[in-house]
Amino acid sequence: MLEESTPYTYEWKISRLSSSEDESRYSDMFTVGVYKWKVYMRPRGDSNNRGKNLSMFLWLYNTEDLASNEKVNVRFVIRLKSQNNVVLRQPEVLTTWFSRSIPIYSRLSCH
């Protein structure tokens, strides 16, 4: 069964981001409907793009609350903005399924 959700915007302000930084960062948890989410960032890219770009991921944080066969269909955009609130990268709107076995989805990579 598909349920409609109210559109939701979460803004994560990241201070002092360095291009040489290697440590992963996680946003605070935010809730949309009954689902808890985080945004996960790798400043120097993921394992496929190590040292080449910044990678960001949407993470369904409470997968243990899902039934074993339950899936969550999500439509989302991850935007990267400058300190002046200018969009640096405008990716397409994505739609994907999250589940216990697929809790993280990545689509934003910036060089």
Side-chain angles (χ1 to χ4, degrees):
M1 175 172 74
L2 290 177
E3 295 178 22
E4 286 289 323
S5 175
T6 303
Y8 183 86
T9 299
Y10 175 77
E11 188 170 309
W12 178 25
K13 292 188 180 187
I14 302 166
S15 60
R16 290 177 259 139
L17 179 63
S18 168
S19 61
S20 63
E21 185 177 337
D22 198 31
E23 185 176 320
S24 298
R25 291 195 187 186
Y26 301 86
S27 71
D28 291 334
M29 189 179 325
F30 56 98
T31 302
V32 182
V34 298
Y35 304 105
K36 293 177 175 40
W37 301 90
K38 285 189 175 190
V39 177
Y40 165 55
M41 180 187 69
R42 300 291 311 255
R44 298 202 45 173
D46 61 13
S47 59
N48 296 326
N49 298 299
R50 195 83 183 123
K52 297 179 183 174
N53 59 9
L54 176 142
S55 296
M56 297 185 81
F57 309 80
L58 182 60
W59 178 16
L60 177 57
Y61 192 72
N62 61 328
T63 56
E64 69 279 354
D65 296 340
L66 298 177
S68 61
N69 61 347
E70 184 177 359
K71 294 180 180 181
V72 180
N73 187 258
V74 179
R75 184 176 179 194
F76 68 100
V77 174
I78 297 177
R79 290 183 184 94
L80 185 62
K81 295 181 179 182
S82 70
Q83 294 173 337
N84 299 329
N85 211 29
V86 174
V87 175
L88 301 174
R89 172 103 162 79
Q90 180 63 54
E92 69 272 15
V93 175
L94 300 166
T95 302
T96 193
W97 290 95
F98 289 82
S99 66
R100 278 186 167 190
S101 61
I102 307 171
I104 297 176
Y105 187 81
S106 167
R107 190 61 176 165
L108 179 67
S109 293
C110 296
H111 298 284

